Each structure stands twice: as C-alpha cells, then as structure tokens.
Amino acid sequence: MIIVHAGPEVVPFSKTGGLADVLGSLPLSLADRGNEVIIVSPLYRSVMARKPLKLDTSLSVPLGDRTLPGDVYWIKINEHTKAYFIANDALFLRDGLYVDPGGVDYKDNAARFIFFSRAVPELLGKLGIVPDVVHSHDWQSGLVPVYLKTLYRDRFRGVACVFTIHNIGYQGTFWHLDMPLTGLGWEYFTKEYLEFYGKISLLKAGIVFADAVTTVSPTYSREILTPEFGYGMEGVLRSREPDLYGILNGVDYDQWAPEHDRFIPHPYGADEIDLKHDNKITLNRMFGLDNSSTPIIGMITRLTQQKGIDLVEGAIGRMVAMGLKLVLLGSGDRAYEDRIRNIAARYKGRVGAKIGFDNSLAHLIEAGADMFLMPSLYEPCGLNQMYSLRYGTVPVVRATGGLNDTITEYDPSHETGNGFKFSDQSADSMLLALKRAVDTYTDRQRWQRLSRACMSYDFSWHRSSQDYELLYRAYGTRSYLHGDRGKPA
Ligand code: ADP
C-alpha cells in the first residue's frame, strides 16, 4: 500500500510529546512490512538543522481569500519512507511548535494548521500520488480527512482516511470567524460537521470525516466515550463508536534500549543489570543527591495538570520520609515549573529537578532511576512506562489509559507483573503503591528479578503496525464499496 502520514511533529525533526515519537517510528515499521510510506509535516526551524532538500516546485495553498505559497522540502528516510516538509516561513519558521517562548498559544494557530492540512492534498496532487490511505494525527491535521472527502473528493475518491486522537484534551477549538479560512462553506458549520458549541473544532472535524478513528490504547478508546475523559467530545465519539479503535503505540527500540543507548555512560543488557547501578551513581551525582542506597524514582513529563503533578506535590514530604529520592525532568506550564523548582530547593539532596526539554537526560534518567512514576489523571497511551520497562526501571502508575493496558501489578507471591498501580486520583492512593514498590526494593534479589523481568517485555511496533495495516485494508475496501462520508446535507 501507499500510506501517507500527516502530522504536526515527527522525531527526529520536531517534538513536543509522544505524538512525535509515534510519527518517527510507526511509518518505519509500516515500511518494513512492505509498504511505501510518506510523512508530511510542517517545516519548523528545528527541521532545517537536518538539512532537507528543496523540491523544484512549490505549492499554492488557498487560505481564506488568499493563496499562500508553500515550499516543499524532503528527506529520504530509507528506501521506502520519505518525509516531506511544508514550508511557509511566516507561519512555521519559529522556535516553538504551538506556543511562544512564554508558553502562550500562537494567535494564528488556526491559520497555521488549516494551511498545513490543506497543503497535504495539494502536495499529493503535485507529486501525482493517489495513496491507499491517508492517516492524519490530532487536531493540527484534523482537516485532512475533511478536504479529502470534500474539496478534493474527485481526486481522492476511495482513499481511506484514518484519524488518530493522541490526546482528547487538545481539540483545536477556534472562534467561528475562522471558518472562512478553511475554504469550506458555512453549510459545514453545523453540529453534524465542524461546529462545536458555537466554535470550530478541528479535532471534531477529523473525528467526523475520517473513515476510521483510532486512539492510542484500548482502555483510552473506552474512557473517551465517558464525560469524565471525553472533554465534551464524548457525544461526537459515541456517534462514531462502530469505527473507533484503540491501538497501543509501540516503542522504537533502536532509540530506547539500554544495551546500545549512546546517551548513557554505562550501557547494559538484562544479564549485566549490575551496570545499571553505575548509571544511578552518575544520576545521583548530577543532581547532588544523597549517596545512600535508597531508591531513585524518575519522572520525565510535560508539566501540565494531566500528568498528576499535584499528587506528587501533595505527597513529596511523605515520599522523602519513605526513603525515596525523586529526579524530575519536565517543562510546560510556568506555574508548575515554579512549584517544581520550589520542591527541589526545599528537599535538596532528596529531590533533583531540571526544567527544560533534554532528550539525553531523559535517557539517563531511564537508565539511572530504580523506579519511574506516572501518576497521570489520564494517559492516552504513555511511552515512558514502556521505555522504563526496557531499562529495568520499574513503573509506578495510575491505572488509566495505556498505563492500565501495559502495566500489571506485581504479585510478590508468584513474582508476576511488571510494576505497581493505583486507581484513586489521590496522594494517599499513590503513596500506597509507592510503599509497595519501596518494600519490594528492600529485598535486593527480588528487586533484581523484577527489574530483569520488566526488561523482557516487548512493546515494539511490530504488532501495532500490523493492526494498523489490517485497519487500512478493511477501510480501504469499505471506502471503495460505500463511497465517501461527509457529503453536506
Ligand atoms: P505526552 O505525549 O503526553 O507528552 P508520552 O509519554 O506519550 O506523553 O510521551 C512523552 C515523550 O516526550 C516521551 O518520549 C518523553 O521521554 C518525552 N519528554 C517529555 N518531556 C520531556 C522533557 N522535558 N525532556 C525530554 N523528553 C521529554
């Protein structure tokens, strides 16, 4: 098949979160399975560092009553995978992807990503490609299925559109006066289509127009149908329930495996797990932590309410009293950043924090920590718990979304399971799980067996990309047989 992936961030060119990891690795896994894969993403400043080549032709992309130019850059990733980058300096050549250095959303985000979404069919037209599948991701590419099913319908008839929700908390909601930018008539500004409580939602657009909608874990695919997790989108999703699937993200073990990790001082495999301790010493030193033999628990996270930072703040005194040391790497909301700095200052020698985005430190934390904490209020899939398993760093997680699907509670009597879980959104409940982890840690032999068992889990893309391929085939056929969704009333 010819498969196009359109999305707003892709490793190693741009990244703010897990979506970038997915777009950096799922296409490669699909290519390994014999498909031709094209990735389309915006050209931010960070992409230029990778020296993409410029195509001779450029695009003319309608945006409202204007037509904007779009240069196209590209990089051949491997024999069967190419990445194309849509360039418009005024819109994308910025340091941030979605927010300015002060953490405030760019005011023209609607225009930026409407332009990007419309550039996707324009680019395919220019390249003369009619793919089997166009798979787009999150609100930033929510209009891709809309365009393929409406303005570009004739050209892309029968092409299966798959849309993946990586986080329902981000809905690309803009005021209704941005509607003309889309080039779609007002007949699409209705409850059935793009309108969402008087505004436009680009996420809703993707959900409504795609042939199939997926999200990134089975548990999350059920959770988002409820008011607690649906962020108001649960009704829209329920109307698409027969076409809604949960497919777990995979891990790119070329990037995340302790035996060949170039970011850690002491690479190690499962049979040389003692070396993990040398990474712990490096991590201890880096953050000036007590040199004692007590466990380090790591966190690497966007600092937003979603990630359960409040639970950690409420429990940190008791965590330290329990003998835990915490190393946290994160960036995001300014208020959380300040609160984390305060905690680190208050518990010097016990809590180490770095505010910022630092990939190499993320690898060292995975290698050097004994445990990894993810107390998320919700977590569509979560990648760090799967990375942690591979590094023998035992996850302590809240039982939600993909965390629930990948982590099973450790059972001391049978020595089964791969981590520690809690359900209530409370510091007390988290502390009980942490206590079970710390108690288990005191038996060093037992802990090493658990740590080694964690390393043996396989969450590679292999199975997930097979699931996507099956979905593409099923919906490709359906698209041919039943025609297209999304004809206006
Ligand atoms: P989300 O997409 O909600 O941020 P995921 O767990 O799915 O959460 O993915 C987060 C990804 O971003 C992981 O690869 C993680 O290592 C990385 N990450 C998050 N914050 C940072 C940071 N401050 N520095 C380096 N990497 C980070």
Side-chain angles (χ1 to χ4, degrees):
M1 282 184 282
I2 300 177
I3 301 162
V4 173
H5 276 274
E9 50 185 273
V10 48
V11 161
F13 307 102
S14 51
K15 172 167 172 172
T16 68
L19 164 60
D21 295 273
V22 173
L23 274 173
S25 45
L26 169 61
L28 298 181
S29 181
L30 289 165
D32 280 347
R33 303 181 59 81
N35 301 293
E36 289 295 323
V37 188
I38 290 170
I39 303 164
V40 189
S41 200
L43 187 127
Y44 310 103
R45 203 185 295 287
S46 59
V47 180
M48 282 316 267
R50 300 269 162 183
K51 304 205 183 332
L53 303 170
K54 193 165 179 228
L55 272 194
D56 281 346
T57 57
S58 65
L59 310 176
S60 299
V61 182
L63 185 71
D65 52 13
R66 294 181 299 162
T67 299
L68 300 188
D71 285 335
V72 181
Y73 288 72
W74 70 285
I75 287 183
K76 182 171 170 176
I77 295 180
N78 65 29
E79 218 29 65
H80 300 286
T81 317
K82 287 195 186 96
Y84 288 89
F85 298 97
I86 309 294
N88 179 293
D89 291 358
L91 295 178
F92 296 122
L93 210 60
R94 305 177 185 180
D95 289 328
L97 270 53
Y98 321 122
V99 298
D100 67 20
V104 179
D105 283 358
Y106 289 127
K107 291 206 170 22
D108 56 352
N109 271 345
R112 298 171 77 219
F113 292 102
I114 291 169
F115 171 88
F116 169 65
S117 295
R118 187 134 186 198
V120 173
E122 288 287 338
L123 172 69
L124 296 176
K126 193 66 121 188
L127 297 174
I129 293 174
V130 180
D132 298 284
V133 182
V134 174
H135 185 161
S136 57
H137 301 263
D138 274 356
W139 69 264
Q140 294 91 337
S141 21
L143 284 180
V144 172
V146 183
Y147 288 133
L148 265 61
K149 302 290 185 190
T150 59
L151 302 181
Y152 297 81
R153 183 160 62 200
D154 291 340
R155 184 176 185 93
F156 296 103
R157 197 174 290 280
V159 173
C161 289
V162 177
F163 181 66
T164 296
I165 302 163
H166 293 259
N167 189 331
I168 198 97
Y170 299 85
Q171 304 186 339
T173 308
F174 301 98
W175 73 337
H176 64 290
L177 291 181
D178 282 329
M179 189 65 200
L181 289 178
T182 63
L184 300 161
W186 284 100
E187 67 272 25
Y188 286 98
F189 188 71
T190 64
K191 282 203 186 69
E192 257 186 293
Y193 296 111
L194 272 61
E195 194 222 337
F196 191 59
Y197 297 103
K199 297 183 173 180
I200 309 170
S201 161
L202 300 184
L203 186 86
K204 180 181 174 185
I207 295 171
V208 170
F209 278 83
D211 297 298
V213 179
T214 75
T215 187
V216 289
S217 68
T219 294
Y220 195 58
S221 75
R222 292 187 292 274
E223 286 174 339
I224 55 179
L225 296 171
T226 67
E228 189 189 348
F229 293 93
Y231 278 73
M233 207 54 86
E234 59 275 8
V236 178
L237 282 163
R238 274 200 300 271
S239 73
R240 295 302 323 267
E241 205 178 336
D243 300 302
L244 177 65
Y245 302 85
I247 300 178
L248 205 62
N249 286 335
V251 172
D252 179 355
Y253 289 124
D254 288 341
Q255 299 292 326
W256 295 93
E259 54 270 51
H260 57 247
D261 187 328
R262 61 196 168 92
F263 295 111
I264 64 175
H266 307 282
Y268 58 95
D271 50 355
E272 41 192 6
I273 203 161
D274 286 343
L275 288 174
K276 181 169 169 56
H277 190 72
D278 297 339
N279 295 297
K280 178 174 178 178
I281 293 171
T282 306
L283 191 63
N284 246 327
R285 245 189 241 130
M286 183 179 278
F287 284 95
L289 299 181
D290 288 355
N291 206 353
S292 58
S293 58
T294 55
I296 297 184
I297 191 157
M299 285 185 80
I300 304 164
T301 180
R302 288 184 297 112
L303 294 173
T304 63
Q305 195 198 11
Q306 178 206 337
K307 299 296 181 175
I309 315 297
D310 298 276
L311 295 191
V312 178
E313 194 177 29
I316 188 66
R318 285 174 286 172
M319 286 166 64
V320 166
M322 214 185 264
L324 275 171
K325 291 176 283 190
L326 170 70
V327 169
L328 187 148
L329 165 64
S331 61
D333 296 353
R334 295 298 174 265
Y336 280 120
E337 292 185 350
D338 290 341
R339 281 154 69 181
I340 295 296
R341 282 193 193 95
N342 287 341
I343 292 173
R346 195 150 140 227
Y347 294 97
K348 219 161 182 293
R350 291 308 193 126
V351 176
K354 175 165 177 190
I355 303 300
F357 197 93
D358 184 340
N359 185 45
S360 85
L361 180 58
H363 285 252
L364 177 63
I365 293 173
E366 288 292 4
D370 300 289
M371 307 166 185
F372 197 91
L373 181 59
M374 296 181 77
S376 308
L377 307 188
Y378 71 94
E379 193 60 73
C381 177
L383 290 169
N384 276 306
Q385 82 281 14
M386 296 191 276
Y387 300 158
S388 297
L389 288 173
R390 192 68 179 76
Y391 285 74
T393 304
V394 181
V396 180
V397 305
R398 202 171 94 75
T400 182
L403 299 174
N404 191 46
D405 291 331
T406 51
I407 304 303
T408 43
E409 176 73 23
Y410 175 68
D411 173 352
S413 45
H414 299 96
E415 297 209 2
T416 54
N418 61 3
F420 299 88
K421 287 212 271 201
F422 61 99
S423 295
D424 284 356
Q425 269 181 32
S426 73
D428 287 347
S429 175
M430 179 179 80
L431 282 160
L432 284 175
L434 287 169
K435 175 91 173 43
R436 294 197 298 278
V438 170
D439 286 349
T440 309
Y441 183 86
T442 52
D443 180 342
R444 300 316 306 273
Q445 298 298 322
R446 180 184 278 275
W447 187 263
Q448 261 202 8
R449 287 196 298 275
L450 170 57
S451 176
R452 226 186 258 128
C454 286
M455 293 180 79
S456 68
Y457 280 78
D458 181 2
F459 286 106
S460 58
W461 271 106
H462 190 71
R463 199 176 57 198
S464 302
S465 64
Q466 189 175 6
D467 288 347
Y468 277 115
E469 210 183 83
L470 289 172
L471 189 80
Y472 297 159
R473 285 194 199 287
Y475 278 86
T477 314
R478 196 176 300 192
S479 210
Y480 280 113
L481 292 180
H482 300 298
D484 296 325
R485 293 179 58 80
K487 296 190 186 79

